[in-house]
Amino acid sequence: MSHEVYWRLGFFFSVLAIMMLLEWQKPARQSTIKNRSRWFANFGLTFTSTLLARFTVPVGLTAVAVYYQQHGIGLFNQLNVSPLTAVILSLLLLDLIIYWQHRLFHQVPILWRLHRVHHADAHIDTSTGLRFHPIEIVLSILIKLIAVTALGVPAIAVLIFEIALNGLALFNHANIRLPNSIEKPLRLVLVTQVLHRIHHSQNPEETNSNFGFSVTWWDRLFGSYKSQASQPDKNIALGLSQYPNPKQNSSLWQLLIMPFKK
């Protein structure tokens, strides 16, 4: 775990660079907002979230998991299961928790105020996968901290999950459209760009579907899977109808205060 930062940053910037290159070469949709202003707001929000998270929860989840392993804290540190079994079960349970966390942020009004910062983006690209209000990021870390504590998640599982979660969020928000020969079989397991753009539709019925960030089976299991939108992918109205002004979506300050405005 001594090289955790290098692993996480290495995967993060690699996926980010690949997705942005693909978007530049063959974008699925054209943005109505200048990318420069959107990117400044979205990446600025990411930077602010990182600072707040480090100030609020200064100890990383991986370090916490190492401590729990050493002191036998948590379910998997008490049960007589193999390390591989503990890792696999941990990854599945963490992903399930994130799925229900996402649904909760849609269903509880005060949490939706935070999460709508993500959905207000009128154009979806890789930077949207990083666009979350700092308070939502902190709450998400606390939820994962509770899960890691209760389950006794192995440190390697925490590292794998965090890398996968960030990488797949960049992947499925990317402004690309995979060939049907790849997209159709891939969506049997992973959330593709087409599936996730349905989740970012202005149609509430479509917004409240496809909650998974990584795999599609939780949506299929819990009845929130939607394979097609009411409009073709290229025509889906993205974002939130109550934020039609591009300036509301391209200002870091406006994104920070958005949850506190009516």
Side-chain angles (χ1 to χ4, degrees):
M1 294 300 105
S2 59
H3 300 294
E4 175 194 359
V5 173
Y6 301 108
W7 280 105
R8 293 186 63 171
L9 292 179
F11 274 96
F12 172 80
F13 284 112
S14 295
V15 176
L16 180 65
I18 293 170
M19 291 300 107
M20 293 186 75
L21 179 61
L22 292 174
E23 290 175 334
W24 175 67
Q25 288 185 330
K26 196 172 182 180
R29 300 165 59 103
Q30 296 299 321
S31 175
T32 57
I33 312 171
K34 289 184 179 180
N35 278 334
R36 183 172 61 182
S37 58
R38 280 187 62 257
W39 288 349
F40 178 82
N42 290 357
F43 286 114
L45 200 62
T46 304
F47 179 73
T48 306
S49 298
T50 302
L51 290 180
L52 181 61
R54 286 297 172 221
F55 177 77
T56 309
V57 190
V59 180
L61 291 177
T62 309
V64 171
V66 170
Y67 177 84
Y68 290 159
Q69 282 181 278
Q70 293 172 343
H71 293 81
I73 299 173
L75 181 64
F76 293 129
N77 292 320
Q78 296 291 327
L79 296 178
N80 186 22
V81 297
S82 69
L84 180 59
T85 301
V87 168
I88 293 173
L89 290 177
S90 294
L91 292 174
L92 289 173
L93 290 171
L94 285 173
D95 200 55
L96 177 61
I97 289 168
I98 291 299
Y99 166 83
W100 280 107
Q101 173 194 307
H102 193 181
R103 289 193 68 160
L104 192 66
F105 271 79
H106 275 253
Q107 294 167 358
V108 178
I110 193 170
L111 297 178
W112 171 247
R113 280 179 168 268
L114 297 169
H115 191 57
R116 70 184 180 187
V117 172
H118 177 68
H119 276 269
D121 203 344
H123 177 67
I124 308 302
D125 64 11
T126 306
S127 72
T128 312
L130 303 170
R131 173 182 162 137
F132 294 93
H133 195 274
I135 298 177
E136 180 176 358
I137 292 296
V138 170
L139 289 176
S140 180
I141 292 173
L142 293 176
I143 290 171
K144 287 184 285 188
L145 179 60
I146 293 171
V148 169
T149 302
L151 296 173
V153 176
I156 187 62
V158 174
L159 179 60
I160 294 171
F161 181 75
E162 291 286 88
I163 288 175
L165 184 66
N166 291 333
L168 289 169
L170 295 174
F171 169 77
N172 57 43
H173 283 91
N175 182 31
I176 61 175
R177 188 177 294 113
L178 300 173
N180 282 334
S181 59
I182 298 176
E183 200 272 342
K184 294 299 183 183
L186 187 62
R187 65 163 56 187
L188 295 175
V189 179
L190 294 180
V191 177
T192 63
Q193 293 79 20
V194 173
L195 286 177
H196 201 68
R197 278 194 285 269
I198 296 173
H199 178 71
H200 279 268
S201 165
Q202 291 186 14
N203 183 336
E205 183 182 349
E206 294 170 353
T207 305
N208 292 308
S209 70
N210 298 352
F211 291 102
F213 272 109
S214 53
V215 295
T216 58
W217 57 57
W218 303 127
D219 284 297
R220 297 176 190 272
L221 180 62
F222 296 109
S224 56
Y225 180 74
K226 188 174 287 292
S227 61
Q228 287 185 317
S230 57
Q231 298 292 326
D233 179 57
K234 63 181 180 180
N235 296 333
I236 295 176
L238 300 175
L240 296 175
S241 58
Q242 59 264 48
Y243 296 101
N245 188 344
K247 290 183 179 180
Q248 294 174 307
N249 291 310
S250 57
S251 164
L252 175 59
W253 175 245
Q254 290 297 324
L255 296 183
L256 288 171
I257 66 174
M258 186 181 290
F260 311 104
K261 297 174 67 176
K262 292 185 179 180

